[in-house]
Amino acid sequence: MKNAVARKMTRIAFGSLLIVLVALSAAFAAKFATVDIPVKADLYSMTPTPLTPTQCAQCHSVQFGSLKDNGGLHRFECQGCHKTFHAYNPKKGNYEALMPKCASCHTDIHGPANKDCGTCHTNPHTPRKVAMTSRLANTCATCHAKPKAELVQFPSKHSRLACAKCHTSHGFKPSCSMCHQPHYQGQEYTTCTKCHSVHKPKMVTYPATEPARTCGSCHTKVYAKWQATPSKHAKVLCAQCHHDKHGYVPQCAECHKQVHPAGIMAKFPRCLDCHLDVHELPGMGTKK
């Protein structure tokens, strides 16, 4: 009898203790789960305006700077590419799933064999800054067929060079001064391409206003004669007579009509039979 009473008392005590613990737990939870901050439902009653690029830049300053300086056609609202923000979870490894895909906007603009965009365009925030990797250097002709054709059709020392030798990054146009000396002291390298097409440099063309000293850098003897002649030819630039293309030899009749009586012209129809050197007029003589 005494044992039964004791067990009953024990159960009552244990139950009371359990009730007290539950009550204390509820009070503890209520104290810390319900904070003393008033609810403001109106804060969540509207749809927020998307962040502007300058607002994104407050945290993502590097990406903003890249777009600002070298963004090309990618300089638009960040939401144009990024549809989900701050959802990356290292445990899920969902970075690739969140990042925008080139194919969302771009077709196979470099052909079906060049779909690995990130190999060349390593930074989507600087799409026009492309390093001259081996992957790119081996496929230049895919897009730049004309320069390749010119290098093959018009052989020169340039034809034996790899594209990456001059174009160290995509779109980079080197100065001729990287390899070549000017024709004369003080010549601006910006004038080189007036005469030399870089992919067919031996096909020389020039404007009629090209200074004679450009020609004289190679044709030194002729240039010296031309400078010393007392004739009117000294006032005529080389390019005005040797027009159209490099190596063109003009006919006297292009400028000089019949300057002698008909009898003399009939006897000496070839001007150079008497005027032996057009660059050193009015020298005359008899051919030996």
Side-chain angles (χ1 to χ4, degrees):
M1 184 70 179
K2 288 182 179 180
N3 289 336
V5 172
R7 286 195 297 270
K8 185 176 182 180
M9 292 299 293
T10 300
R11 287 196 297 270
I12 292 173
F14 182 78
S16 299
L17 178 61
L18 184 63
I19 292 171
V20 171
L21 289 174
V22 170
L24 288 174
S25 298
F28 183 82
K31 178 67 176 177
F32 289 93
T34 305
V35 295
D36 297 329
I37 300 177
V39 174
K40 292 185 178 181
D42 58 306
L43 292 176
Y44 300 91
S45 63
M46 61 185 69
T47 302
T49 303
L51 294 175
T52 65
T54 51
Q55 290 171 323
C56 295
Q58 292 177 25
C59 294
H60 305 284
S61 57
V62 173
Q63 289 80 0
F64 181 86
S66 296
L67 286 164
K68 179 182 178 181
D69 297 333
N70 296 287
L73 296 180
H74 281 191
R75 286 177 289 185
F76 45 71
E77 287 78 9
C78 305
Q79 293 84 353
C81 287
H82 300 281
K83 307 301 181 184
T84 304
F85 294 87
H86 301 159
Y88 171 64
N89 187 327
K91 291 184 178 180
K92 293 181 179 179
N94 60 343
Y95 182 83
E96 288 298 326
L98 293 173
M99 288 299 101
K101 304 297 183 288
C102 302
S104 299
C105 297
H106 302 284
T107 57
D108 299 339
I109 58 175
H110 299 308
N114 299 294
K115 294 185 177 182
D116 50 337
C117 308
T119 305
C120 296
H121 303 280
T122 55
N123 185 348
H125 302 108
T126 58
R128 300 185 67 181
K129 289 188 68 175
V130 181
M132 187 57 76
T133 60
S134 58
R135 173 72 174 87
L136 182 63
N138 292 331
T139 57
C140 296
T142 303
C143 296
H144 307 285
K146 183 180 178 182
K148 177 65 175 180
E150 290 179 343
L151 287 166
V152 172
Q153 185 180 355
F154 304 99
S156 69
K157 290 183 179 179
H158 285 190
S159 302
R160 299 197 292 268
L161 298 176
C163 302
K165 181 69 175 179
C166 295
H167 305 284
T168 52
S169 64
H170 187 263
F172 173 71
K173 294 181 179 180
S175 169
C176 300
S177 62
M178 290 177 60
C179 300
H180 303 284
Q181 296 296 321
H183 285 296
Y184 55 85
Q185 186 73 24
Q187 183 186 24
E188 293 290 336
Y189 282 104
T190 54
T191 65
C192 298
T193 52
K194 289 194 305 180
C195 300
H196 303 281
S197 176
V198 292
H199 298 114
K200 47 180 181 179
K202 296 178 74 173
M203 298 295 293
V204 183
T205 59
Y206 37 76
T209 55
E210 184 62 32
R213 58 181 175 170
T214 302
C215 307
S217 63
C218 293
H219 305 284
T220 53
K221 291 182 179 180
V222 170
Y223 180 63
K225 290 179 181 179
W226 175 82
Q227 281 187 308
T229 181
S231 75
K232 291 182 179 180
H233 279 193
K235 298 179 181 179
V236 181
L237 297 176
C238 307
Q240 290 180 261
C241 290
H242 303 281
H243 51 76
D244 292 339
K245 64 179 181 179
H246 186 256
Y248 173 77
V249 178
Q251 298 299 311
C252 302
E254 291 181 27
C255 296
H256 305 284
K257 304 306 176 184
Q258 187 170 326
V259 295
H260 299 297
I264 295 179
M265 295 300 296
K267 188 176 181 179
F268 303 101
R270 293 166 49 88
C271 302
L272 297 182
D273 284 345
C274 297
H275 304 282
L276 303 181
D277 191 337
V278 294
H279 300 106
E280 198 177 14
L281 295 174
M284 297 177 64
T286 302
K287 283 190 175 181
K288 295 181 181 179

